[in-house]
Amino acid sequence: MTLFVMALSGCQAATPTVPPTNDLSLVPAPGGLDVAGLGGREIGFGRDRIGVLESVTRVEGRRPWSVPCLSGRDAFETASGLRLVFAGNTFVGWEGPAGKAGRVCV
């Protein structure tokens, strides 16, 4: 999957949007996120934070935004209501309406 290179900034005035990639959606899975519509592609645990956030932005059309995470980890909320959890720069878990997998905020 080709990813757009986006510069990250500690302070962002607004959540950037991009046109979503047609017919794709994120599907929570035990090992990360599956990308429905891309023939078995996934965003697996262990991936780098920048790559995960860029991929999610491409699929959903809106960049995930930072939210509190009480466990000392970092978390980002997606447009579809998933909370992506990172330890350092590594994708380690998700929480959302479908449940949770990996390491979470609580």
Side-chain angles (χ1 to χ4, degrees):
M1 174 190 325
T2 303
L3 300 175
F4 286 108
V5 177
M6 299 172 67
L8 293 178
S9 171
C11 297
Q12 294 179 339
T15 303
T17 59
V18 296
T21 305
N22 294 332
D23 301 323
L24 299 181
S25 63
L26 299 175
V27 179
L33 302 170
D34 291 336
V35 182
L38 258 184
R41 299 278 178 125
E42 65 177 25
I43 303 169
F45 294 148
R47 285 208 34 205
D48 180 71
R49 178 193 314 231
I50 293 171
V52 170
L53 296 177
E54 288 174 351
S55 295
V56 170
T57 300
R58 291 279 320 274
V59 170
E60 293 194 333
R62 182 172 181 188
R63 185 165 183 79
W65 57 96
S66 181
V67 295
C69 188
L70 300 176
S71 66
R73 298 180 182 105
D74 297 318
F76 291 81
E77 189 87 12
T78 70
S80 61
L82 288 172
R83 178 172 290 175
L84 308 178
V85 181
F86 296 86
N89 287 320
T90 304
F91 179 39
V92 296
W94 60 262
E95 322 177 282
K100 57 187 174 183
R103 291 186 260 165
V104 295
C105 287
V106 182

